[in-house]
Amino acid sequence: MGERDRALDFLSAVVRDALDLEFTDELLERRTRLAARRLRRLAEPDLLGDREARRVLGLYHWLRAEARRSRRELRKAVALLLPVARDAPETLPTSVLDLLARLGVQRQRPVRRPAPPPLSEPVANARDQAGTFAAESAALLEAFTASGSGQTLAKAVELSRAALASTPREDPRRAVIATAHSTALRMLHAVTGDPALLREAAGAARAGVASAGDTAESARALTALHAALGALFEATGDLTPLRESARAARSALEVAPEGPDRVAALAGAAERQRVLAELTGDVGALAEAEGNARAALELGAADDPDLLAGLADALRARFAATGDLEALREAVDLDHDAVASTPDGHVRLPGRMINYVTSRRLLAVRTGDPELLRAATDDGRLAAERAPDHLQRGVALAQAGSALMVLADWSGDTALLREAAALCRESARVAPERHRAESWALLCAALTGLHERTGDARALGEAVAAGREAVAATPEWHVRHTSRAGALAVALDRVHALPEDERVLAQAVPGSGGVPAVGDGAGDRGAVGDGLGRSWVLSALGGARFADFQRSGDLEALAESVDSLRRALVEPADELSAARSRYRFGVAALALAARADAPELLVEALEALEDTGSAAPPTRFAAAVVAAGARVALGQSERALELVEGAVGQLPLLAALDLAREDAAAQAVGHGGFAAVAGAAALACGRPERAVELVQLVGDALVGAEAPPVVPGPVAHVFCGPTGGRALLVRPGRAVVALVLPGVAHAELVARGEALAAAVEGEDTESQRAVEVVLAWLWTAVARPVLDALGPHGRELPRLWWRPVGGLARLPLHAAGVPGGESALDRVVSSYVPAGRAGGVGWVVGALWPVDAVVATEVVESAHRAAAVAGAAGAPAASEAAARAVHAVVREHRAAYPDLPLRWAGHVHTGW
């Protein structure tokens, strides 16, 4: 017995038992489903000729339809059993034949029928032809669902068209046949993209409505009509068929009887209402759509992927409109179930995977879960690979690109942003013309961000070109027209602010030609549109003007930024976007208040910053840092520490971004402001020990360090907080000593860092003198106060571990000193506390800037020789020996070349 016969025997036994008992649990068991799937696979491609396999499979689906009231199972059963009923009706139960009789299938065997009348009697012959054509078309449609063959689908449409054409108007089957033809035409359009098929589908559905003999037939025809009209809107962008579609869906719901027809009507009405509401911003219609989708799932099969996906769509739309996080979580679960319930190879699987990607991306953004975001990105790429057509591939690529843009925003990783732009570019290339607007809009945003990161004028020029395409492809009535025009406005604004030579580069990009100032184009600040997109536009423009202020110091740009952002706050927006606008406003308003002596604006700014709880975690974190810093500066230390402790809870999410080591180090420097604020807040509250814990915790968590070993000697944590420089001297077994460093202020620190960065690019006398000035300032402002607090030393120089925070991390504290005078090199043997993944590493030797290769080789070899000699005593001894060897070589070169600090001051020892 072959595999086909074994599967057939097993399934036949289950079907016989179910027919005898009216139901058996075996029908719903997984092994039975697998047997049915296996039998179908083995019977293909000659399933049409394998009558017994068709009979058993058809009865299996019919029994499941009865048990679960599943319209999907019923469709499968009818398609399989129609030819059996025509050729061998005696093999089918009476109840099945009663059901199939509605399609004109006679119960007697075909051999007993009289010969068909001659063609000269068309009315008599039409009935037989129509039934035959309809049955064969249904069988081919079922075969297409399993195989995805376009030829099979095209043949099914030909037969359904012939069936409708040969059905007289007075024939009671005309409504059913017309509705079936409309459905087949929609399926063919999904493969070919020909909108003429949808117009024909709508016409066939209208014929079905006109011929319907009862409410059930009327509901089915109306459902087919609204589906065809909705697809026509998707293909053309014309709102007229969409509105007619919504009316047809409501009409179908009014007449649909209980049972599968009611389920289909509810699902159809939900889809049309949702699409129309998403485009027009009607939140009330969204609630109605969700109610209908939920009712459809409650009445239908619990694992019907169409119904699961429909409710997920409605919930996702509610989240987009209201920011309801619970709605989004439920949508994620439903999308997962819809994917899991869809067989591999099914034509709708890629689309459902795309929806699942979308839901998880939105949830990751809202909750700040980078692992979920990565998973969504990977699945987006997978969905793009599996997509059977350009539309789904384009959507999948756009979703993956959107997820990467968020990851790039959170992590600061420019490579991710470049990859996001590449995916969006490919999405715009492969998507059908009518569906490229979202891809162009995402590409515009990605390239604008890339320009802000890299200064690449060509990227900005391409962003303008993409923005123009997005706006041109978006009708003015569309709910996203305003936001896409705003994105273009931001890109135009950035081009207008470029220096002349860079502006020429931007304008050289095809499609960016002209590039008028913002006031001359789509982004005129006085006319930024209306609707839900207005808030987005105002917020984006405000952010762009604040970037202008940061770059140029232009107070007029700062005032415009605050004004635009304040206007954004009063416009309707989803909660996620509103929270981000509040953050942007708070930052800009703080900057303006500090320069305009405006206490009311200061209060307004702090209120906005502390009302960002619904923002994405990176935004909440940044808002807490800024607000806490301002509270410290105002003397409100208790509130500042409260904000700090709340932000500390978000550190694991930020650390989970798992950046590369180089990026992690840069991120640690970038977030050094938080460590400084945290330390300053705790110190102001009289809690130096907590200050040390926070500075340590922030530095380690942000770069993903494991718990470090206990440092065997004194550690000097140095930072510049909102109220100036501070140092925390930590020694084993002794109380923390907190020091004020009056010579360290933020502006001074920035200036010294920039001076050193410029000096290390050269080797001339001027560069050497610039380094000496920085070393002297470091000695006076930082190193000497710390070393004086450390106290006198004995015959052997003591060790000291430096842990600088923020901008101080770039400066050579270990070599601080006055030329020819006092120096840290003469007071301590310095090491630096390891950061990031190096925190489990014993010790390393490195340099703060490019150094002479000969000197570097000498330093490294000396350190390793000393460590090798001391290594027998254990790792700490080896690390100390290496530190002292580095210290000795640096002092030797300082003695030999005192006027060349670039030669020796950059070498450092890091480790325990």
Side-chain angles (χ1 to χ4, degrees):
M1 182 182 292
E3 188 178 356
R4 177 259 185 201
D5 293 334
R6 286 195 296 271
L8 180 60
D9 284 353
F10 174 81
L11 197 61
S12 296
V14 173
V15 168
R16 278 196 304 271
D17 290 345
L19 289 172
D20 292 341
L21 302 173
E22 296 188 352
F23 178 75
T24 173
D25 290 338
E26 283 185 293
L27 271 175
L28 305 181
E29 289 181 358
R30 183 172 181 271
R31 61 174 181 164
T32 308
R33 293 200 306 273
L34 292 176
R37 192 176 302 171
R38 185 162 58 250
L39 177 59
R40 186 180 194 101
R41 175 174 56 81
L42 293 170
E44 292 284 2
D46 191 32
L47 182 59
L48 189 61
D50 193 340
R51 182 189 299 166
E52 184 60 14
R54 288 185 66 87
R55 186 187 74 82
V56 173
L57 283 168
L59 290 173
Y60 163 73
H61 287 296
W62 177 73
L63 289 164
R64 283 175 60 88
E66 289 286 301
R68 308 181 67 176
R69 302 184 65 80
S70 169
R71 184 176 178 82
R72 184 165 63 100
E73 296 282 1
L74 187 60
R75 286 198 301 267
K76 291 181 180 180
V78 169
L80 287 164
L81 293 175
L82 276 172
V84 180
R86 182 186 62 212
D87 298 334
E90 72 278 4
T91 64
L92 297 177
T94 302
S95 55
V96 174
L97 293 173
D98 288 341
L99 172 69
L100 297 178
R102 296 183 60 190
L103 289 176
V105 179
Q106 300 172 2
R107 298 191 183 190
Q108 65 270 22
R109 295 179 62 87
V111 294
R112 297 177 182 172
R113 294 192 200 124
L119 293 178
S120 60
E121 301 177 16
V123 174
N125 195 38
R127 181 175 181 84
D128 292 335
Q129 286 182 328
T132 299
F133 290 151
E136 292 178 354
S137 175
L140 288 172
L141 286 176
E142 181 64 18
F144 164 73
T145 301
S147 68
S149 169
Q151 290 182 338
T152 300
L153 179 58
K155 182 62 177 174
V157 169
E158 288 180 14
L159 288 168
S160 64
R161 185 180 286 122
L164 181 59
S166 59
T167 306
R169 293 185 181 276
E170 65 274 12
D171 193 316
R173 300 169 305 163
R174 183 173 173 80
V176 176
I177 291 173
T179 301
H181 181 47
S182 178
T183 302
L185 286 164
R186 279 192 295 111
M187 295 170 70
L188 185 59
H189 166 265
V191 174
T192 66
D194 183 359
L197 293 170
L198 295 175
R199 295 186 178 92
E200 184 183 356
R206 291 190 184 99
V209 172
S211 303
D214 56 31
T215 56
E217 288 184 352
S218 180
R220 293 184 195 121
L222 285 164
T223 297
L225 177 60
H226 81 67
L229 290 168
L232 186 59
F233 158 73
E234 291 290 338
T236 64
D238 185 356
L239 271 182
T240 301
L242 180 62
R243 292 195 171 102
E244 185 184 352
S245 172
R247 290 194 296 271
R250 283 197 175 92
S251 298
L253 190 57
E254 290 172 359
V255 300
E258 293 301 322
D261 292 324
R262 180 75 178 172
V263 173
L266 284 165
E271 182 184 4
R272 292 303 110 209
Q273 290 160 345
R274 173 186 59 79
V275 172
L276 189 59
E278 284 180 322
L279 293 170
T280 60
D282 187 343
V283 178
L286 277 181
E288 186 179 357
E290 181 187 338
N292 286 333
R294 197 174 294 280
L297 185 58
E298 290 173 355
L299 291 175
D303 64 345
D304 187 321
D306 291 329
L307 302 181
L308 291 165
L311 180 55
D313 288 342
L315 289 165
R316 201 181 312 110
R318 173 149 68 94
F319 166 77
T322 66
D324 186 335
L325 189 57
E326 290 309 309
L328 182 58
R329 291 187 192 279
E330 186 180 357
V332 170
D333 293 338
L334 289 165
D335 279 325
H336 170 273
D337 293 346
V339 171
S341 300
T342 305
D344 286 342
H346 195 285
V347 292
R348 293 186 180 177
L349 181 59
R352 287 168 184 159
M353 290 179 66
I354 292 169
N355 288 341
Y356 189 33
V357 167
T358 302
S359 295
R360 284 185 295 165
R361 176 179 61 79
L362 293 170
L363 183 61
V365 170
R366 183 61 184 271
T367 61
D369 186 340
E371 293 306 320
L372 183 61
L373 196 56
R374 282 196 189 87
T377 304
D378 293 341
D379 283 352
R381 293 192 184 98
L382 180 61
E385 293 173 3
R386 294 186 176 183
D389 56 51
H390 292 308
L391 172 58
Q392 291 188 356
R393 176 170 167 75
V395 173
L397 288 168
Q399 289 298 327
S402 181
L404 279 176
M405 287 170 62
V406 177
L407 273 178
D409 182 46
W410 289 0
S411 67
D413 189 338
T414 303
L416 290 178
L417 196 54
R418 293 186 191 280
E419 185 181 357
L423 290 174
C424 295
R425 193 180 289 115
E426 177 68 4
S427 172
R429 186 186 72 80
V430 304
E433 186 173 352
R434 267 280 302 131
H435 298 274
R436 291 177 186 167
E438 181 68 8
S439 303
W440 287 123
L442 288 170
L443 180 58
C444 176
L447 291 168
T448 302
L450 192 60
H451 163 74
E452 292 174 355
R453 296 267 186 91
T454 66
D456 185 345
R458 291 185 181 277
L460 190 58
E462 188 183 354
V464 170
R468 290 188 190 281
E469 294 282 0
V471 172
T474 308
E476 290 190 8
W477 50 259
H478 198 288
V479 71
R480 294 184 182 174
H481 182 272
T482 303
S483 61
R484 288 170 182 169
L488 173 60
V490 172
L492 289 169
D493 200 28
R494 302 269 57 76
V495 172
H496 185 61
L498 289 175
E500 182 62 31
D501 56 339
E502 294 185 26
R503 193 180 311 140
V504 171
L505 286 175
Q507 291 172 338
V509 176
S512 66
V515 189
V518 168
D520 301 327
D524 188 343
R525 294 185 188 91
V528 293
D530 53 18
L532 293 176
R534 182 179 174 89
S535 175
W536 189 96
V537 174
L538 290 166
S539 182
L541 287 173
R545 296 305 286 156
F546 185 71
D548 287 341
F549 158 72
Q550 289 180 305
R551 183 174 54 252
S552 65
D554 183 355
L555 290 179
E556 183 178 348
L558 178 59
E560 288 182 5
S561 170
V562 171
D563 177 65
S564 182
L565 289 164
R566 182 182 279 114
R567 291 165 62 197
L569 296 181
V570 300
E571 296 292 340
D574 65 89
E575 189 53 34
L576 190 67
S577 299
R580 183 159 192 163
S581 294
R582 288 193 289 272
Y583 164 69
R584 286 174 169 168
F585 171 77
V587 172
L590 270 183
L592 184 60
R595 291 160 177 80
D597 189 25
E600 299 86 359
L601 183 59
L602 179 62
V603 171
E604 193 179 359
L606 288 172
E607 288 177 350
L609 287 168
E610 295 178 22
D611 186 22
T612 56
S614 57
T619 302
R620 295 205 305 268
F621 179 83
V625 173
V626 176
R631 296 288 187 187
V632 170
L634 291 170
Q636 301 169 2
S637 54
E638 293 292 342
R639 176 57 181 157
L641 186 57
E642 184 180 337
L643 290 168
V644 164
E645 298 289 5
V648 164
Q650 301 176 49
L651 291 177
L653 286 174
L654 299 176
L657 290 170
D658 193 28
L659 305 178
R661 182 174 175 183
E662 302 79 31
D663 290 336
Q667 191 85 334
V669 172
H671 283 296
F674 180 47
V677 167
L683 279 178
C685 291
R687 300 177 60 188
E689 288 78 12
R690 182 56 180 161
V692 171
E693 291 173 356
L694 287 170
V695 170
Q696 233 170 248
L697 175 66
V698 172
D700 288 337
L702 283 172
V703 293
E706 302 291 340
V710 176
V711 182
V715 179
H717 301 269
V718 291
F719 57 87
C720 181
T723 54
R726 297 290 187 273
L728 298 169
L729 188 58
V730 181
R731 290 170 288 187
R734 301 177 65 175
V736 174
V737 175
L739 303 173
V740 176
L741 305 176
V744 179
H746 179 71
E748 180 79 5
L749 180 59
V750 171
R752 299 298 183 181
E754 291 175 350
L756 181 64
V760 300
E761 295 294 324
E763 296 180 356
D764 56 6
T765 301
E766 184 178 350
S767 297
Q768 302 289 353
R769 299 293 78 76
V771 175
E772 288 181 345
V773 171
V774 173
L775 293 176
W777 174 76
L778 279 174
W779 171 254
T780 303
V782 182
R784 185 169 65 186
V786 170
L787 297 180
D788 286 348
L790 187 61
H793 59 81
R795 181 176 178 181
E796 185 178 54
L797 293 182
R799 292 188 70 190
L800 174 66
W801 281 262
W802 295 99
R803 186 159 192 166
V805 172
L808 282 165
R810 303 182 187 275
L811 303 179
L813 292 166
H814 65 286
V818 178
E822 292 183 298
S823 170
L825 290 169
D826 302 319
R827 298 275 295 272
V828 290
V829 175
S830 294
S831 293
Y832 288 86
V833 174
R837 293 169 183 80
V841 177
W843 61 273
V844 292
V845 174
L848 295 178
W849 54 76
V851 293
D852 183 88
V854 175
V855 181
T857 300
E858 183 180 351
V859 169
V860 172
E861 290 180 349
S862 297
H864 281 277
R865 280 197 303 270
V869 172
S879 179
E880 177 162 354
R884 292 190 180 276
V886 172
H887 181 262
V889 175
V890 170
R891 290 185 69 185
E892 289 172 6
H893 281 274
R894 182 190 62 167
Y897 306 98
D899 297 332
L900 302 177
L902 283 171
R903 183 181 179 90
W904 47 264
H907 299 279
V908 298
H909 172 272
T910 300
W912 309 112

